[in-house]
Amino acid sequence: MFVEAGHYALALALGVSVIQTIVPIWGTRTSDHDLMAVAVPAAIVTFLCIGFAYLALTYAYVASDFSVLNVIENSHSLKPLVYKMSGVWANHEGSMLLWVLILALFGAMVAVARKSVPERLRANTLAVQGAVTFAFLIFILTVSNPFIRVMPPVAEGQGLNPILQDPGLAIHPPLLYLGYVGFSISFAFAIAALIDGKIDAAWARIVRPWTLSAWIFLTLGIAMGSYWAYYELGWGGWWFWDPVENASLMPWLSGTALIHSTVVMERRDSLKVWTILLAILTFSLSLLGTFIVRSGILTSVHSFAVDPKRGVFILGILILFIGGSLALFAWRAPMLKKGGIFAPISREGGLVINNLFLAAACATVFIGTLYPLALEALTGDKISVGAPFFNMTFLPIIIPLLAFLPMGQTLAWKRGDIAAAAKRLMFVYAIAIVVTVIMLSLTSGGPVMAPIGVGFGLYLVLGSINEIFTRCWKSGQNIKVFFSKALGLPLSTWGTVLAHAGVGLSVMGVAATIWGTETIASVREGEMVNAGPYQAKLERVVPRKGPDYNEMAAIFTIMDGDKVVGTTETMKRIFVSRQSMPTTEAGILTKGLSQIYVSLGELQENGSIGIRVYYKPLVTLIWIGSLIMALGGFFSLADRRYRVGAPKRSRNALEIGATAGAQT
């Protein structure tokens, strides 16, 4: 009965979303405040209905209700509780329900943020959000219904895909969806502004926190997904340029450009057309990612193999919202008034350059991801576009952008002096060059790009921190004064510094992987394999039994000469609920910022086992940098200036303005 109630709540949400779409728009067209006010309760009720439906599906998983087809196909009674709950979104139907739940959540959050969003803008925004919600609810109820019953119920479910039975899956998809879907609010604000033909610095101030929130979650989602693939798939890599990985990278790149563009717009009331376009394109790329994952047009460890009819439906949604929004943009954008001006050599100019490079990088990933799919659809020919293409096209664009980052951050607003900015960075240049030269000399005969890349990342970190010293340090002053000034800086300044420093740390981690080593061998108990400066000794191989799997675990002792530095174990698991499907659990030992990574292969006829042993120096900096980037976003979001709406004019000011207007 609870399942049927959830199904009914989803249908009720569909009806309410229609009201949320039509009535507020009608109210803004007729300037009827009562009709505009309907948007708030409608958005909240829509969210509550979808939330109830999601709870009903979760209950079916937890209770192992094998009369529900979705539960049969993706759960098992022996599965641990955490994987029963994460199994709700580890399939097409459940993930789409989570998708639309987060969509409604952001709408409800805008609805309750009454003080920060003007009434008319809020009504139009929630109407657009309601339209997107309606489209996806139609999709779920017609071709992706998670509440379909099977009678009579079966005795046992098929279980969850083994590679998804991991703690990372309980974190990765919700974070990714909060980022993907969070950009829908930026999109809705942009369309609302186009509908009214009004966009200004106050609009940018309102939109920026919502965009920043989505960017933070998408950053964390991509980082978590990268680390999950790194340790779960046993390949030893952290990024593979998989089309589904690219699908999340594209909105991240355009979303990063959107954040920087709103800064310029808020400061100078400029880049209005560009900012609106970025808001549309960012959410459009999120929709494109949804289509890639769920259309069945590609095979990936990240994608869902589903009925192509669903892909056609999502393609229709893409055409409707992307095509409709771009048509509205083409009609209304020329009517937007021009804003303030600034010198090309200024911090605003630096942010514009930032936008151009990010847009070009995003276009490169877009072409590399979609071209093979389009070619196969049109001609039937299959080609593979992987790391070589992206390394030759993406990196030449992103490296100059990163190189300019500290310089752009140092320039003054409105009109800057590039010579003075370079002078303030001389100490940073000197340290980075010296460190790079030292690393090159210490690693003579090794890969050249590794020390250069690490030195480049150090330059980014120091260049970001230099902003604090530039603003707070004066020759001869007391160190206490420096710390007092630094602590008194706006949180958004600290957020910028942390985010840019996080980029530098990730660059250092990526570059250092060139120093890594890989050893493939077959070993017996007691034998050792080299792992960079360490040795991995196989101690024993033991069989184990889990809740719904059997595993073979190989336990290794990691040695540094005669000294034991730690132990790790790698497993090969066989899940009986999935036709004896095997998975590999990598064994990882972290030493400082580096890792020793062991992946178990097959048991050989002679009693030895195949293994892959990697040494990955500084690899943890990749994810530490991502976390610091997100932390920088949280700092900026916590800045009170970006959590309040545009200041309202007082009643006296309005009366004076009205009187002046009457006199003229």
Side-chain angles (χ1 to χ4, degrees), residues 610-632:
I611 60 169
R612 288 176 180 263
V613 182
Y614 302 87
Y615 173 63
K616 297 181 173 293
L618 304 183
V619 69
T620 56
L621 285 178
I622 296 173
W623 300 289
I624 291 173
S626 299
L627 293 176
I628 292 178
M629 277 188 257
L631 181 62

mmCIF file of all heavy atoms in Angstrom, residues 610-632:
data_model
loop_
_atom_site.group_PDB
_atom_site.id
_atom_site.type_symbol
_atom_site.label_atom_id
_atom_site.label_comp_id
_atom_site.label_asym_id
_atom_site.label_seq_id
_atom_site.Cartn_x
_atom_site.Cartn_y
_atom_site.Cartn_z
ATOM 1 N N GLY A 610 48.308 -13.664 -10.176
ATOM 2 C CA GLY A 610 48.708 -12.490 -10.949
ATOM 3 C C GLY A 610 48.365 -11.224 -10.187
ATOM 4 O O GLY A 610 47.290 -11.111 -9.591
ATOM 5 N N ILE A 611 49.255 -10.257 -10.189
ATOM 6 C CA ILE A 611 49.019 -8.989 -9.499
ATOM 7 C C ILE A 611 49.553 -7.835 -10.341
ATOM 8 O O ILE A 611 50.431 -7.999 -11.184
ATOM 9 C CB ILE A 611 49.683 -8.949 -8.107
ATOM 10 C CG1 ILE A 611 51.196 -9.121 -8.225
ATOM 11 C CG2 ILE A 611 49.080 -9.973 -7.164
ATOM 12 C CD1 ILE A 611 51.939 -8.835 -6.934
ATOM 13 N N ARG A 612 48.993 -6.666 -10.093
ATOM 14 C CA ARG A 612 49.526 -5.400 -10.603
ATOM 15 C C ARG A 612 49.871 -4.550 -9.388
ATOM 16 O O ARG A 612 49.018 -4.351 -8.517
ATOM 17 C CB ARG A 612 48.505 -4.670 -11.475
ATOM 18 C CG ARG A 612 48.262 -5.306 -12.834
ATOM 19 C CD ARG A 612 47.155 -4.549 -13.574
ATOM 20 N NE ARG A 612 46.885 -5.121 -14.872
ATOM 21 C CZ ARG A 612 47.388 -4.673 -16.013
ATOM 22 N NH1 ARG A 612 48.182 -3.603 -16.006
ATOM 23 N NH2 ARG A 612 47.107 -5.240 -17.163
ATOM 24 N N VAL A 613 51.063 -4.043 -9.332
ATOM 25 C CA VAL A 613 51.509 -3.210 -8.220
ATOM 26 C C VAL A 613 51.932 -1.855 -8.775
ATOM 27 O O VAL A 613 52.772 -1.781 -9.678
ATOM 28 C CB VAL A 613 52.671 -3.861 -7.453
ATOM 29 C CG1 VAL A 613 53.079 -2.978 -6.273
ATOM 30 C CG2 VAL A 613 52.283 -5.249 -6.961
ATOM 31 N N TYR A 614 51.334 -0.801 -8.248
ATOM 32 C CA TYR A 614 51.653 0.560 -8.686
ATOM 33 C C TYR A 614 52.236 1.341 -7.519
ATOM 34 O O TYR A 614 51.809 1.190 -6.371
ATOM 35 C CB TYR A 614 50.393 1.296 -9.160
ATOM 36 C CG TYR A 614 49.627 0.642 -10.290
ATOM 37 C CD1 TYR A 614 48.653 -0.317 -10.021
ATOM 38 C CD2 TYR A 614 49.849 1.012 -11.604
ATOM 39 C CE1 TYR A 614 47.921 -0.902 -11.054
ATOM 40 C CE2 TYR A 614 49.131 0.432 -12.644
ATOM 41 C CZ TYR A 614 48.168 -0.522 -12.361
ATOM 42 O OH TYR A 614 47.458 -1.097 -13.373
ATOM 43 N N TYR A 615 53.170 2.209 -7.850
ATOM 44 C CA TYR A 615 53.603 3.233 -6.899
ATOM 45 C C TYR A 615 53.182 4.574 -7.487
ATOM 46 O O TYR A 615 53.557 4.922 -8.609
ATOM 47 C CB TYR A 615 55.106 3.203 -6.688
ATOM 48 C CG TYR A 615 55.609 4.357 -5.851
ATOM 49 C CD1 TYR A 615 55.198 4.509 -4.526
ATOM 50 C CD2 TYR A 615 56.470 5.311 -6.392
ATOM 51 C CE1 TYR A 615 55.633 5.580 -3.758
ATOM 52 C CE2 TYR A 615 56.918 6.380 -5.630
ATOM 53 C CZ TYR A 615 56.497 6.510 -4.317
ATOM 54 O OH TYR A 615 56.931 7.566 -3.565
ATOM 55 N N LYS A 616 52.400 5.340 -6.713
ATOM 56 C CA LYS A 616 51.828 6.582 -7.221
ATOM 57 C C LYS A 616 52.229 7.741 -6.310
ATOM 58 O O LYS A 616 51.549 8.023 -5.317
ATOM 59 C CB LYS A 616 50.309 6.451 -7.301
ATOM 60 C CG LYS A 616 49.872 5.372 -8.290
ATOM 61 C CD LYS A 616 48.376 5.264 -8.386
ATOM 62 C CE LYS A 616 47.990 4.301 -9.499
ATOM 63 N NZ LYS A 616 48.347 4.791 -10.839
ATOM 64 N N PRO A 617 53.325 8.421 -6.644
ATOM 65 C CA PRO A 617 53.784 9.530 -5.799
ATOM 66 C C PRO A 617 52.852 10.730 -5.873
ATOM 67 O O PRO A 617 52.373 11.116 -6.948
ATOM 68 C CB PRO A 617 55.168 9.861 -6.384
ATOM 69 C CG PRO A 617 55.114 9.377 -7.794
ATOM 70 C CD PRO A 617 54.214 8.178 -7.793
ATOM 71 N N LEU A 618 52.547 11.278 -4.712
ATOM 72 C CA LEU A 618 51.745 12.512 -4.567
ATOM 73 C C LEU A 618 50.347 12.405 -5.165
ATOM 74 O O LEU A 618 49.678 13.430 -5.370
ATOM 75 C CB LEU A 618 52.486 13.708 -5.195
ATOM 76 C CG LEU A 618 53.896 14.008 -4.696
ATOM 77 C CD1 LEU A 618 54.444 15.267 -5.377
ATOM 78 C CD2 LEU A 618 53.942 14.157 -3.199
ATOM 79 N N VAL A 619 49.865 11.184 -5.427
ATOM 80 C CA VAL A 619 48.582 11.037 -6.112
ATOM 81 C C VAL A 619 47.422 11.582 -5.284
ATOM 82 O O VAL A 619 46.417 12.047 -5.833
ATOM 83 C CB VAL A 619 48.338 9.557 -6.478
ATOM 84 C CG1 VAL A 619 48.093 8.716 -5.221
ATOM 85 C CG2 VAL A 619 47.187 9.410 -7.460
ATOM 86 N N THR A 620 47.531 11.541 -3.946
ATOM 87 C CA THR A 620 46.423 12.015 -3.108
ATOM 88 C C THR A 620 46.181 13.515 -3.273
ATOM 89 O O THR A 620 45.098 14.008 -2.948
ATOM 90 C CB THR A 620 46.694 11.714 -1.629
ATOM 91 O OG1 THR A 620 47.938 12.302 -1.244
ATOM 92 C CG2 THR A 620 46.750 10.207 -1.377
ATOM 93 N N LEU A 621 47.184 14.251 -3.800
ATOM 94 C CA LEU A 621 46.993 15.689 -4.016
ATOM 95 C C LEU A 621 45.884 15.967 -5.027
ATOM 96 O O LEU A 621 45.278 17.045 -4.997
ATOM 97 C CB LEU A 621 48.302 16.328 -4.498
ATOM 98 C CG LEU A 621 49.398 16.526 -3.447
ATOM 99 C CD1 LEU A 621 50.637 17.131 -4.090
ATOM 100 C CD2 LEU A 621 48.903 17.409 -2.312
ATOM 101 N N ILE A 622 45.620 15.010 -5.909
ATOM 102 C CA ILE A 622 44.541 15.203 -6.893
ATOM 103 C C ILE A 622 43.224 15.433 -6.177
ATOM 104 O O ILE A 622 42.473 16.368 -6.502
ATOM 105 C CB ILE A 622 44.442 13.980 -7.831
ATOM 106 C CG1 ILE A 622 45.714 13.836 -8.659
ATOM 107 C CG2 ILE A 622 43.219 14.092 -8.735
ATOM 108 C CD1 ILE A 622 45.758 12.559 -9.484
ATOM 109 N N TRP A 623 42.931 14.602 -5.172
ATOM 110 C CA TRP A 623 41.649 14.696 -4.473
ATOM 111 C C TRP A 623 41.696 15.683 -3.322
ATOM 112 O O TRP A 623 40.679 16.319 -3.027
ATOM 113 C CB TRP A 623 41.229 13.303 -4.009
ATOM 114 C CG TRP A 623 41.093 12.395 -5.187
ATOM 115 C CD1 TRP A 623 40.122 12.429 -6.156
ATOM 116 C CD2 TRP A 623 41.992 11.357 -5.582
ATOM 117 N NE1 TRP A 623 40.357 11.469 -7.110
ATOM 118 C CE2 TRP A 623 41.493 10.790 -6.787
ATOM 119 C CE3 TRP A 623 43.157 10.831 -5.041
ATOM 120 C CZ2 TRP A 623 42.125 9.740 -7.439
ATOM 121 C CZ3 TRP A 623 43.794 9.786 -5.690
ATOM 122 C CH2 TRP A 623 43.278 9.249 -6.878
ATOM 123 N N ILE A 624 42.865 15.853 -2.699
ATOM 124 C CA ILE A 624 42.991 16.898 -1.680
ATOM 125 C C ILE A 624 42.753 18.267 -2.316
ATOM 126 O O ILE A 624 42.046 19.118 -1.761
ATOM 127 C CB ILE A 624 44.385 16.842 -1.023
ATOM 128 C CG1 ILE A 624 44.516 15.575 -0.175
ATOM 129 C CG2 ILE A 624 44.623 18.073 -0.148
ATOM 130 C CD1 ILE A 624 45.909 15.351 0.386
ATOM 131 N N GLY A 625 43.328 18.461 -3.513
ATOM 132 C CA GLY A 625 43.106 19.711 -4.224
ATOM 133 C C GLY A 625 41.639 19.934 -4.547
ATOM 134 O O GLY A 625 41.116 21.052 -4.425
ATOM 135 N N SER A 626 40.933 18.874 -4.939
ATOM 136 C CA SER A 626 39.503 18.992 -5.249
ATOM 137 C C SER A 626 38.705 19.385 -4.009
ATOM 138 O O SER A 626 37.793 20.221 -4.084
ATOM 139 C CB SER A 626 38.987 17.663 -5.805
ATOM 140 O OG SER A 626 39.666 17.309 -6.992
ATOM 141 N N LEU A 627 39.046 18.782 -2.872
ATOM 142 C CA LEU A 627 38.363 19.123 -1.626
ATOM 143 C C LEU A 627 38.619 20.575 -1.234
ATOM 144 O O LEU A 627 37.710 21.267 -0.760
ATOM 145 C CB LEU A 627 38.818 18.184 -0.503
ATOM 146 C CG LEU A 627 38.416 16.715 -0.636
ATOM 147 C CD1 LEU A 627 39.012 15.889 0.500
ATOM 148 C CD2 LEU A 627 36.893 16.562 -0.643
ATOM 149 N N ILE A 628 39.858 21.037 -1.433
ATOM 150 C CA ILE A 628 40.172 22.436 -1.098
ATOM 151 C C ILE A 628 39.449 23.382 -2.060
ATOM 152 O O ILE A 628 39.005 24.473 -1.658
ATOM 153 C CB ILE A 628 41.693 22.646 -1.114
ATOM 154 C CG1 ILE A 628 42.323 21.876 0.052
ATOM 155 C CG2 ILE A 628 42.046 24.129 -1.029
ATOM 156 C CD1 ILE A 628 43.823 21.954 0.115
ATOM 157 N N MET A 629 39.317 22.987 -3.333
ATOM 158 C CA MET A 629 38.509 23.791 -4.266
ATOM 159 C C MET A 629 37.090 23.955 -3.748
ATOM 160 O O MET A 629 36.526 25.060 -3.718
ATOM 161 C CB MET A 629 38.474 23.128 -5.639
ATOM 162 C CG MET A 629 39.639 23.408 -6.536
ATOM 163 S SD MET A 629 39.351 22.746 -8.193
ATOM 164 C CE MET A 629 40.351 21.282 -8.144
ATOM 165 N N ALA A 630 36.478 22.826 -3.344
ATOM 166 C CA ALA A 630 35.113 22.872 -2.827
ATOM 167 C C ALA A 630 35.044 23.688 -1.539
ATOM 168 O O ALA A 630 34.088 24.447 -1.320
ATOM 169 C CB ALA A 630 34.599 21.455 -2.584
ATOM 170 N N LEU A 631 36.079 23.553 -0.677
ATOM 171 C CA LEU A 631 36.121 24.337 0.560
ATOM 172 C C LEU A 631 36.165 25.832 0.244
ATOM 173 O O LEU A 631 35.511 26.639 0.920
ATOM 174 C CB LEU A 631 37.342 23.931 1.383
ATOM 175 C CG LEU A 631 37.528 24.645 2.729
ATOM 176 C CD1 LEU A 631 36.359 24.351 3.663
ATOM 177 C CD2 LEU A 631 38.845 24.239 3.380
ATOM 178 N N GLY A 632 36.923 26.190 -0.791
ATOM 179 C CA GLY A 632 36.941 27.578 -1.211
ATOM 180 C C GLY A 632 35.561 28.051 -1.639
ATOM 181 O O GLY A 632 35.148 29.176 -1.333
#
